[in-house]
Amino acid sequence: MNDKLARLDYYTLLGVDAGASTADIKRAFRGFARRYHPDNHTDDPARHRRATAIFRRGTEAYRVLLDRELRTIYDAELAKGEK
């Protein structure tokens, strides 16, 4: 994963506000998945690798932001500047 992708917080990556609801996160992820799913980028190996990296990071963001406990931990770490 490149540095720019690693520096994006989960909210920015999915394009939602920190106060986003579960429905907002799900809706944002559907759009994110349509854009970055690796199956949509099979024509070029380099684009496929890049889309795979972005999609994995987005999937991780989705999983964390939908889990109340993980999101609370993530938000605390984000506030401390640890993420």
Side-chain angles (χ1 to χ4, degrees):
M1 177 174 14
N2 76 23
D3 291 337
K4 186 176 180 181
L5 181 58
R7 285 191 308 264
L8 289 176
D9 68 77
Y10 291 161
Y11 297 104
T12 302
L13 184 64
L14 295 182
V16 296
D17 294 331
S21 69
T22 298
D24 292 336
I25 294 167
K26 287 180 179 182
R27 187 172 25 262
F29 182 73
R30 282 192 297 274
F32 176 89
R34 279 192 298 276
R35 182 170 183 185
Y36 293 108
H37 196 284
D39 289 350
N40 295 334
H41 301 280
T42 58
D43 55 326
D44 178 3
R47 286 183 63 193
H48 185 265
R49 281 191 302 276
R50 177 82 177 130
T52 299
I54 294 169
F55 189 74
R56 283 184 183 149
R57 179 95 167 129
T59 300
E60 178 182 316
Y62 179 72
R63 184 181 60 81
V64 169
L65 296 181
L66 284 186
D67 183 300
R68 188 180 316 221
E69 186 176 330
L70 292 176
R71 185 174 180 177
T72 300
I73 293 167
Y74 179 77
D75 287 344
E77 290 173 352
L78 195 61
K80 291 181 199 173
E82 296 176 7
K83 290 283 179 183

Coordinates of all heavy atoms in Angstrom, one line a residue:
M1 N 0.9 -1.2 0.0 CA 0.0 0.0 0.0 C 0.9 1.2 0.0 O 1.9 1.3 0.7 CB -0.9 -0.1 1.2 CG -1.8 1.1 1.4 SD -2.9 1.0 2.8 CE -2.4 -0.3 3.8
N2 N 0.6 2.2 -0.8 CA 1.4 3.4 -0.9 C 1.1 4.3 0.3 O 0.1 4.2 1.0 CB 1.3 4.1 -2.2 CG 0.1 4.9 -2.4 OD1 -0.6 5.3 -1.4 ND2 -0.3 5.2 -3.6
D3 N 2.0 5.2 0.6 CA 1.9 6.1 1.7 C 0.7 7.0 1.7 O 0.1 7.2 2.7 CB 3.2 7.0 1.8 CG 4.4 6.2 2.2 OD1 4.2 5.1 2.8 OD2 5.5 6.7 1.9
K4 N 0.3 7.5 0.5 CA -0.9 8.3 0.4 C -2.1 7.6 0.8 O -2.9 8.1 1.6 CB -1.0 8.9 -1.0 CG -2.1 9.9 -1.2 CD -2.1 10.4 -2.6 CE -3.2 11.4 -2.7 NZ -3.3 12.0 -4.1
L5 N -2.3 6.4 0.4 CA -3.4 5.6 0.8 C -3.4 5.2 2.3 O -4.4 5.3 2.9 CB -3.4 4.3 -0.1 CG -4.6 3.3 0.2 CD1 -5.9 3.9 -0.1 CD2 -4.4 2.1 -0.7
A6 N -2.2 4.9 2.8 CA -2.1 4.6 4.2 C -2.5 5.8 5.1 O -2.9 5.6 6.2 CB -0.7 4.1 4.5
R7 N -2.2 7.0 4.6 CA -2.5 8.2 5.4 C -3.9 8.6 5.5 O -4.4 9.4 6.3 CB -1.7 9.4 4.9 CG -0.2 9.3 5.2 CD 0.5 10.6 4.9 NE 0.3 11.1 3.6 CZ 1.2 10.9 2.6 NH1 2.3 10.2 2.8 NH2 0.9 11.4 1.4
L8 N -4.7 8.1 4.5 CA -6.2 8.5 4.5 C -6.9 7.8 5.7 O -6.7 6.6 5.9 CB -6.8 8.0 3.2 CG -6.5 8.7 2.0 CD1 -7.1 8.1 0.8 CD2 -6.9 10.2 2.0
D9 N -7.6 8.6 6.5 CA -8.4 8.0 7.5 C -9.6 7.3 6.9 O -10.0 7.5 5.7 CB -8.8 9.0 8.6 CG -9.8 10.0 8.1 OD1 -11.0 9.7 7.9 OD2 -9.4 11.2 7.8
Y10 N -10.3 6.4 7.6 CA -11.4 5.6 7.1 C -12.5 6.5 6.6 O -13.2 6.2 5.6 CB -11.9 4.6 8.1 CG -10.9 3.5 8.4 CD1 -11.0 2.8 9.6 CD2 -9.9 3.2 7.6 CE1 -10.2 1.8 9.9 CE2 -9.0 2.1 7.9 CZ -9.1 1.4 9.1 OH -8.3 0.4 9.4
Y11 N -12.8 7.6 7.3 CA -13.9 8.4 6.9 C -13.6 9.1 5.5 O -14.5 9.1 4.7 CB -14.2 9.5 8.0 CG -14.6 8.9 9.3 CD1 -13.7 8.9 10.4 CD2 -15.9 8.4 9.5 CE1 -14.1 8.3 11.6 CE2 -16.3 7.9 10.7 CZ -15.3 7.8 11.7 OH -15.7 7.3 12.9
T12 N -12.4 9.6 5.4 CA -12.0 10.2 4.1 C -12.1 9.2 3.0 O -12.5 9.5 1.9 CB -10.7 10.9 4.3 OG1 -10.7 11.8 5.3 CG2 -10.2 11.5 3.0
L13 N -11.5 8.0 3.3 CA -11.5 7.0 2.3 C -12.8 6.6 1.7 O -13.0 6.5 0.5 CB -10.8 5.7 2.9 CG -10.6 4.6 1.9 CD1 -9.6 5.0 0.8 CD2 -10.0 3.4 2.7
L14 N -13.8 6.5 2.6 CA -15.2 6.2 2.1 C -16.0 7.4 1.8 O -17.1 7.3 1.2 CB -15.9 5.4 3.2 CG -15.3 4.0 3.5 CD1 -16.2 3.3 4.6 CD2 -15.2 3.2 2.3
G15 N -15.5 8.6 2.1 CA -16.2 9.8 1.7 C -17.4 10.1 2.6 O -18.4 10.6 2.1
V16 N -17.2 9.9 3.9 CA -18.3 10.2 4.9 C -17.8 11.0 6.0 O -16.6 11.1 6.2 CB -19.0 8.9 5.4 CG1 -19.6 8.0 4.4 CG2 -17.9 8.0 6.2
D17 N -18.7 11.7 6.7 CA -18.3 12.5 7.9 C -18.1 11.6 9.1 O -18.7 10.4 9.1 CB -19.5 13.5 8.2 CG -19.7 14.5 7.1 OD1 -18.7 14.9 6.5 OD2 -20.8 15.0 7.0
A18 N -17.4 12.1 10.1 CA -17.2 11.3 11.3 C -18.5 10.9 12.0 O -18.5 9.9 12.7 CB -16.3 12.0 12.2
G19 N -19.5 11.7 11.8 CA -20.8 11.4 12.4 C -21.7 10.6 11.6 O -22.9 10.5 11.9
A20 N -21.2 10.0 10.5 CA -22.1 9.2 9.6 C -22.8 8.1 10.2 O -22.2 7.4 11.1 CB -21.2 8.7 8.4
S21 N -24.0 7.9 9.8 CA -24.8 6.8 10.3 C -24.4 5.5 9.6 O -23.7 5.5 8.6 CB -26.3 7.0 10.1 OG -26.6 7.0 8.7
T22 N -24.9 4.4 10.2 CA -24.6 3.1 9.6 C -25.2 3.1 8.1 O -24.5 2.6 7.2 CB -25.3 2.0 10.4 OG1 -24.8 2.0 11.7 CG2 -25.1 0.6 9.8
A23 N -26.3 3.6 7.9 CA -26.9 3.7 6.5 C -26.0 4.5 5.6 O -25.8 4.1 4.4 CB -28.3 4.2 6.6
D24 N -25.5 5.6 6.1 CA -24.6 6.5 5.3 C -23.3 5.7 4.9 O -22.9 5.8 3.8 CB -24.2 7.7 6.0 CG -25.4 8.7 6.3 OD1 -26.4 8.6 5.5 OD2 -25.3 9.5 7.2
I25 N -22.8 5.0 5.9 CA -21.5 4.2 5.6 C -21.8 3.1 4.6 O -21.0 2.9 3.7 CB -21.0 3.7 6.9 CG1 -20.5 4.8 7.8 CG2 -19.8 2.7 6.7 CD1 -20.2 4.4 9.2
K26 N -22.9 2.4 4.7 CA -23.2 1.3 3.8 C -23.4 1.9 2.4 O -22.9 1.3 1.4 CB -24.5 0.6 4.2 CG -24.3 -0.3 5.4 CD -25.6 -1.0 5.8 CE -25.3 -1.9 7.0 NZ -26.5 -2.6 7.4
R27 N -24.1 3.0 2.3 CA -24.4 3.6 1.0 C -23.0 4.1 0.4 O -22.8 3.9 -0.8 CB -25.3 4.8 1.1 CG -25.8 5.4 -0.1 CD -26.9 6.5 0.1 NE -26.9 7.2 1.4 CZ -27.8 6.9 2.4 NH1 -28.6 5.9 2.2 NH2 -27.8 7.5 3.5
A28 N -22.2 4.7 1.2 CA -20.9 5.2 0.7 C -20.0 4.0 0.2 O -19.3 4.1 -0.8 CB -20.2 6.0 1.8
F29 N -20.1 2.9 1.0 CA -19.3 1.7 0.6 C -19.7 1.1 -0.7 O -18.9 0.7 -1.5 CB -19.2 0.7 1.7 CG -18.3 -0.5 1.4 CD1 -17.0 -0.3 1.4 CD2 -18.9 -1.7 1.0 CE1 -16.1 -1.4 1.0 CE2 -18.0 -2.8 0.6 CZ -16.7 -2.6 0.7
R30 N -21.0 1.1 -0.9 CA -21.5 0.5 -2.2 C -21.0 1.3 -3.4 O -20.5 0.7 -4.4 CB -23.1 0.5 -2.2 CG -23.7 -0.6 -1.4 CD -25.1 -0.8 -1.7 NE -25.9 0.4 -1.3 CZ -26.4 0.6 -0.1 NH1 -26.2 -0.3 0.9 NH2 -27.1 1.6 0.2
G31 N -21.0 2.6 -3.3 CA -20.4 3.5 -4.3 C -18.9 3.2 -4.4 O -18.3 3.1 -5.5
F32 N -18.2 3.1 -3.3 CA -16.8 2.9 -3.3 C -16.5 1.6 -4.0 O -15.6 1.5 -4.8 CB -16.3 2.9 -1.8 CG -14.9 2.5 -1.6 CD1 -13.9 3.5 -1.6 CD2 -14.5 1.2 -1.4 CE1 -12.6 3.1 -1.4 CE2 -13.2 0.8 -1.2 CZ -12.2 1.8 -1.3
A33 N -17.2 0.5 -3.6 CA -17.0 -0.8 -4.2 C -17.2 -0.8 -5.7 O -16.5 -1.5 -6.4 CB -17.9 -1.8 -3.5
R34 N -18.3 -0.1 -6.2 CA -18.5 0.0 -7.6 C -17.3 0.6 -8.3 O -16.9 0.2 -9.4 CB -19.7 0.8 -7.9 CG -21.0 0.0 -7.8 CD -22.2 0.8 -8.4 NE -22.5 2.1 -7.7 CZ -23.2 2.2 -6.6 NH1 -23.7 1.2 -6.0 NH2 -23.4 3.4 -6.1
R35 N -16.7 1.5 -7.7 CA -15.5 2.2 -8.3 C -14.2 1.5 -8.2 O -13.5 1.4 -9.2 CB -15.4 3.6 -7.7 CG -14.3 4.4 -8.3 CD -14.2 5.8 -7.8 NE -13.2 6.5 -8.5 CZ -12.8 7.7 -8.3 NH1 -13.5 8.4 -7.4 NH2 -11.8 8.3 -8.9
Y36 N -14.0 0.8 -7.1 CA -12.7 0.2 -6.8 C -12.6 -1.3 -6.8 O -11.5 -1.8 -6.6 CB -12.1 0.8 -5.5 CG -11.8 2.3 -5.6 CD1 -12.5 3.2 -4.9 CD2 -10.7 2.7 -6.4 CE1 -12.3 4.5 -5.0 CE2 -10.4 4.1 -6.5 CZ -11.2 5.0 -5.8 OH -10.9 6.3 -5.9
H37 N -13.7 -2.0 -7.0 CA -13.6 -3.4 -6.9 C -12.6 -3.9 -8.0 O -12.7 -3.5 -9.2 CB -15.0 -4.1 -7.2 CG -15.0 -5.5 -6.7 ND1 -14.4 -6.5 -7.5 CD2 -15.5 -6.1 -5.6 CE1 -14.6 -7.6 -6.9 NE2 -15.2 -7.4 -5.7
P38 N -11.7 -4.8 -7.6 CA -10.7 -5.3 -8.5 C -11.2 -5.9 -9.8 O -10.6 -5.8 -10.9 CB -9.9 -6.3 -7.7 CG -10.1 -5.9 -6.3 CD -11.5 -5.3 -6.3
D39 N -12.4 -6.5 -9.8 CA -13.0 -7.1 -11.0 C -13.3 -6.1 -12.0 O -13.5 -6.4 -13.2 CB -14.3 -7.9 -10.6 CG -14.0 -9.1 -9.9 OD1 -12.8 -9.5 -9.8 OD2 -14.9 -9.7 -9.3
N40 N -13.4 -4.8 -11.7 CA -13.7 -3.7 -12.6 C -12.4 -3.2 -13.3 O -12.5 -2.3 -14.1 CB -14.4 -2.6 -11.9 CG -15.8 -2.9 -11.4 OD1 -16.4 -3.9 -12.0 ND2 -16.2 -2.3 -10.4
H41 N -11.3 -3.8 -12.9 CA -10.0 -3.3 -13.4 C -9.1 -4.4 -13.9 O -7.9 -4.4 -13.6 CB -9.3 -2.5 -12.3 CG -10.1 -1.3 -11.8 ND1 -10.2 -0.1 -12.5 CD2 -10.9 -1.2 -10.7 CE1 -11.0 0.7 -11.9 NE2 -11.4 0.1 -10.8
T42 N -9.6 -5.3 -14.6 CA -8.9 -6.5 -15.0 C -8.1 -6.2 -16.3 O -7.3 -7.1 -16.7 CB -9.8 -7.7 -15.2 OG1 -10.8 -7.4 -16.2 CG2 -10.4 -8.2 -13.9
D43 N -8.4 -5.1 -17.0 CA -7.8 -4.8 -18.3 C -6.3 -4.5 -18.2 O -5.5 -4.6 -19.2 CB -8.5 -3.7 -19.0 CG -8.6 -2.5 -18.2 OD1 -8.8 -2.6 -16.9 OD2 -8.6 -1.4 -18.8
D44 N -5.8 -4.0 -17.0 CA -4.5 -3.5 -16.9 C -3.9 -4.1 -15.5 O -4.5 -3.8 -14.5 CB -4.4 -2.0 -16.9 CG -3.1 -1.4 -16.6 OD1 -2.1 -2.2 -16.5 OD2 -3.0 -0.2 -16.6
P45 N -2.9 -4.9 -15.5 CA -2.4 -5.5 -14.3 C -2.0 -4.5 -13.2 O -2.3 -4.7 -12.0 CB -1.2 -6.3 -14.7 CG -1.4 -6.6 -16.2 CD -2.2 -5.4 -16.7
A46 N -1.4 -3.3 -13.6 CA -1.0 -2.3 -12.6 C -2.3 -1.7 -12.0 O -2.3 -1.5 -10.8 CB -0.2 -1.2 -13.3
R47 N -3.3 -1.4 -12.8 CA -4.6 -0.8 -12.3 C -5.3 -1.8 -11.4 O -5.9 -1.4 -10.4 CB -5.5 -0.4 -13.4 CG -5.0 0.9 -14.1 CD -6.0 1.3 -15.2 NE -7.3 1.6 -14.5 CZ -8.4 1.8 -15.2 NH1 -8.4 1.7 -16.5 NH2 -9.5 2.1 -14.6
H48 N -5.2 -3.1 -11.7 CA -5.8 -4.1 -10.9 C -5.1 -4.2 -9.6 O -5.8 -4.3 -8.5 CB -5.7 -5.5 -11.7 CG -6.4 -6.6 -11.0 ND1 -5.8 -7.4 -10.1 CD2 -7.7 -7.0 -11.0 CE1 -6.6 -8.3 -9.6 NE2 -7.8 -8.0 -10.1
R49 N -3.8 -4.2 -9.5 CA -3.1 -4.2 -8.2 C -3.5 -3.0 -7.4 O -3.7 -3.1 -6.2 CB -1.6 -4.2 -8.5 CG -1.1 -5.6 -8.8 CD 0.5 -5.7 -8.8 NE 1.1 -4.7 -9.7 CZ 1.3 -4.9 -11.0 NH1 0.9 -6.0 -11.6 NH2 1.9 -3.9 -11.7
R50 N -3.5 -1.8 -8.0 CA -3.9 -0.6 -7.3 C -5.3 -0.7 -6.8 O -5.5 -0.3 -5.6 CB -3.7 0.6 -8.3 CG -4.1 1.9 -7.7 CD -3.0 2.5 -6.8 NE -3.4 3.8 -6.4 CZ -3.3 4.1 -5.1 NH1 -2.8 3.4 -4.2 NH2 -3.7 5.3 -4.7
A51 N -6.2 -1.1 -7.6 CA -7.6 -1.2 -7.2 C -7.7 -2.2 -6.0 O -8.5 -2.0 -5.1 CB -8.5 -1.6 -8.4
T52 N -7.0 -3.3 -6.1 CA -7.0 -4.3 -5.0 C -6.6 -3.7 -3.7 O -7.2 -3.9 -2.7 CB -6.2 -5.5 -5.4 OG1 -6.7 -6.1 -6.6 CG2 -6.1 -6.6 -4.3
A53 N -5.5 -2.9 -3.7 CA -5.0 -2.3 -2.5 C -6.0 -1.3 -2.0 O -6.3 -1.3 -0.7 CB -3.7 -1.6 -2.8
I54 N -6.6 -0.5 -2.8 CA -7.6 0.5 -2.4 C -8.8 -0.2 -1.8 O -9.4 0.1 -0.8 CB -8.0 1.4 -3.5 CG1 -6.8 2.3 -3.9 CG2 -9.2 2.3 -3.2 CD1 -6.9 3.1 -5.2
F55 N -9.3 -1.3 -2.5 CA -10.5 -2.0 -2.1 C -10.3 -2.7 -0.8 O -11.2 -2.7 0.1 CB -10.9 -3.0 -3.2 CG -12.2 -3.6 -2.9 CD1 -13.4 -2.9 -3.1 CD2 -12.3 -4.9 -2.5 CE1 -14.6 -3.5 -2.9 CE2 -13.5 -5.5 -2.2 CZ -14.7 -4.8 -2.4
R56 N -9.1 -3.3 -0.6 CA -8.8 -3.9 0.7 C -8.9 -2.9 1.9 O -9.4 -3.1 2.9 CB -7.4 -4.6 0.7 CG -7.4 -5.9 0.0 CD -6.1 -6.5 0.1 NE -6.1 -7.8 -0.7 CZ -5.0 -8.3 -1.3 NH1 -3.9 -7.6 -1.2 NH2 -5.1 -9.4 -2.0
R57 N -8.3 -1.7 1.6 CA -8.3 -0.7 2.7 C -9.7 -0.2 2.9 O -10.1 0.0 4.0 CB -7.4 0.5 2.2 CG -7.3 1.6 3.1 CD -6.2 1.6 4.1 NE -6.0 2.8 4.7 CZ -5.9 3.0 6.0 NH1 -5.8 2.0 6.8 NH2 -5.8 4.2 6.5
G58 N -10.5 0.0 1.8 CA -11.9 0.4 2.0 C -12.7 -0.7 2.7 O -13.6 -0.3 3.5
T59 N -12.5 -1.9 2.4 CA -13.2 -3.0 3.1 C -12.9 -3.0 4.6 O -13.8 -3.2 5.5 CB -12.9 -4.4 2.5 OG1 -13.2 -4.3 1.1 CG2 -13.6 -5.5 3.2
E60 N -11.6 -2.8 4.9 CA -11.2 -2.6 6.3 C -11.9 -1.5 7.0 O -12.5 -1.6 8.1 CB -9.7 -2.4 6.4 CG -9.2 -2.3 7.8 CD -7.7 -2.0 7.8 OE1 -6.9 -2.7 7.0 OE2 -7.2 -1.1 8.5
A61 N -12.0 -0.3 6.3 CA -12.7 0.9 6.8 C -14.2 0.6 7.1 O -14.7 0.9 8.1 CB -12.5 2.0 5.8
Y62 N -14.8 -0.1 6.1 CA -16.2 -0.4 6.2 C -16.4 -1.3 7.5 O -17.3 -1.1 8.3 CB -16.6 -1.2 5.0 CG -18.0 -1.6 4.9 CD1 -19.1 -0.7 4.8 CD2 -18.3 -3.0 4.9 CE1 -20.4 -1.2 4.7 CE2 -19.6 -3.4 4.9 CZ -20.7 -2.5 4.7 OH -22.0 -3.0 4.7
R63 N -15.6 -2.3 7.6 CA -15.8 -3.3 8.7 C -15.6 -2.5 10.1 O -16.4 -2.7 11.0 CB -14.7 -4.4 8.6 CG -14.8 -5.5 9.7 CD -13.8 -6.5 9.5 NE -12.4 -6.0 9.6 CZ -11.8 -5.7 10.8 NH1 -12.4 -5.9 11.9 NH2 -10.6 -5.3 10.8
V64 N -14.6 -1.7 10.2 CA -14.4 -1.0 11.4 C -15.5 0.0 11.7 O -16.0 0.1 12.9 CB -13.0 -0.3 11.4 CG1 -12.8 0.7 12.6 CG2 -11.9 -1.3 11.4
L65 N -15.9 0.8 10.7 CA -16.8 1.9 11.0 C -18.2 1.3 11.3 O -19.0 2.0 11.9 CB -16.9 2.8 9.8 CG -15.6 3.6 9.6 CD1 -15.7 4.6 8.4 CD2 -15.1 4.4 10.8
L66 N -18.5 0.1 10.8 CA -19.9 -0.5 11.1 C -19.9 -1.1 12.5 O -21.0 -1.3 13.0 CB -20.3 -1.5 10.0 CG -20.7 -0.9 8.7 CD1 -21.2 -2.0 7.8 CD2 -21.8 0.2 8.9
D67 N -18.8 -1.5 13.0 CA -18.8 -2.1 14.4 C -18.6 -1.1 15.4 O -17.6 -0.3 15.5 CB -17.6 -3.1 14.4 CG -17.5 -3.9 15.7 OD1 -17.4 -3.2 16.8 OD2 -17.5 -5.1 15.6
R68 N -19.6 -0.9 16.3 CA -19.7 0.2 17.2 C -18.4 0.2 18.1 O -17.8 1.3 18.4 CB -20.9 0.0 18.1 CG -21.1 1.2 19.0 CD -22.4 1.0 19.8 NE -23.5 0.5 19.0 CZ -24.7 0.9 19.1 NH1 -25.1 1.8 19.9 NH2 -25.6 0.4 18.3
E69 N -18.0 -1.0 18.6 CA -16.8 -1.0 19.5 C -15.6 -0.7 18.8 O -14.8 0.1 19.3 CB -16.7 -2.4 20.1 CG -15.6 -2.5 21.2 CD -15.6 -3.9 21.8 OE1 -16.7 -4.6 21.9 OE2 -14.5 -4.3 22.2
L70 N -15.4 -1.2 17.6 CA -14.2 -0.9 16.8 C -14.1 0.5 16.4 O -13.1 1.2 16.4 CB -14.1 -1.8 15.6 CG -13.8 -3.3 15.8 CD1 -13.8 -4.1 14.5 CD2 -12.5 -3.5 16.6
R71 N -15.3 1.1 16.1 CA -15.4 2.5 15.6 C -15.0 3.4 16.8 O -14.3 4.4 16.6 CB -16.7 2.8 15.1 CG -16.9 4.2 14.6 CD -18.2 4.4 13.9 NE -18.4 5.7 13.3 CZ -19.4 6.1 12.7 NH1 -20.4 5.3 12.4 NH2 -19.5 7.3 12.2
T72 N -15.4 3.1 18.0 CA -15.1 3.9 19.2 C -13.6 3.9 19.4 O -13.0 4.9 19.7 CB -15.9 3.3 20.4 OG1 -17.3 3.4 20.2 CG2 -15.5 4.1 21.7
I73 N -13.0 2.7 19.3 CA -11.6 2.6 19.5 C -10.8 3.4 18.4 O -9.9 4.1 18.6 CB -11.1 1.1 19.5 CG1 -11.7 0.4 20.7 CG2 -9.6 1.0 19.4 CD1 -11.6 -1.1 20.7
Y74 N -11.3 3.2 17.2 CA -10.7 3.9 16.0 C -10.8 5.4 16.2 O -9.8 6.1 16.0 CB -11.3 3.5 14.7 CG -10.8 4.2 13.5 CD1 -9.5 3.8 13.0 CD2 -11.4 5.2 12.9 CE1 -9.0 4.5 11.9 CE2 -10.9 5.9 11.8 CZ -9.7 5.5 11.3 OH -9.1 6.2 10.3
D75 N -11.9 5.9 16.6 CA -12.1 7.3 16.8 C -11.2 7.9 17.9 O -10.7 9.0 17.7 CB -13.6 7.7 17.1 CG -14.5 7.5 15.9 OD1 -14.0 7.5 14.7 OD2 -15.7 7.4 16.1
A76 N -11.0 7.1 18.9 CA -10.2 7.5 20.0 C -8.7 7.6 19.5 O -8.0 8.6 19.8 CB -10.3 6.6 21.2
E77 N -8.3 6.6 18.7 CA -6.9 6.6 18.2 C -6.8 7.8 17.2 O -5.7 8.4 17.1 CB -6.6 5.3 17.5 CG -6.5 4.2 18.5 CD -6.3 2.8 17.9 OE1 -6.5 2.7 16.6 OE2 -6.0 1.8 18.6
L78 N -7.8 8.0 16.4 CA -7.7 9.1 15.4 C -7.6 10.5 16.1 O -6.8 11.3 15.7 CB -9.0 9.1 14.6 CG -9.0 9.8 13.3 CD1 -8.0 9.4 12.3 CD2 -10.4 9.7 12.6
A79 N -8.3 10.6 17.2 CA -8.3 11.9 18.0 C -6.9 12.1 18.6 O -6.5 13.3 18.7 CB -9.3 11.9 19.1
K80 N -6.2 11.0 18.9 CA -4.9 11.1 19.5 C -3.8 11.3 18.4 O -2.6 11.5 18.7 CB -4.5 9.9 20.3 CG -5.3 9.7 21.6 CD -4.8 8.4 22.2 CE -5.8 7.9 23.2 NZ -5.3 6.5 23.7
G81 N -4.2 11.2 17.2 CA -3.3 11.3 16.1 C -2.5 10.0 15.8 O -1.5 10.0 15.1
E82 N -3.1 8.9 16.3 CA -2.4 7.6 16.1 C -2.8 6.9 14.8 O -2.3 5.8 14.5 CB -2.7 6.7 17.3 CG -2.1 7.2 18.6 CD -2.4 6.4 19.8 OE1 -3.0 5.3 19.7 OE2 -2.1 6.9 20.9
K83 N -3.8 7.4 14.1 CA -4.3 6.7 12.9 C -4.1 7.7 11.7 O -4.2 8.8 11.9 CB -5.7 6.2 13.0 CG -5.8 5.0 13.9 CD -5.4 3.8 13.2 CE -5.5 2.6 14.1 NZ -5.1 1.4 13.6

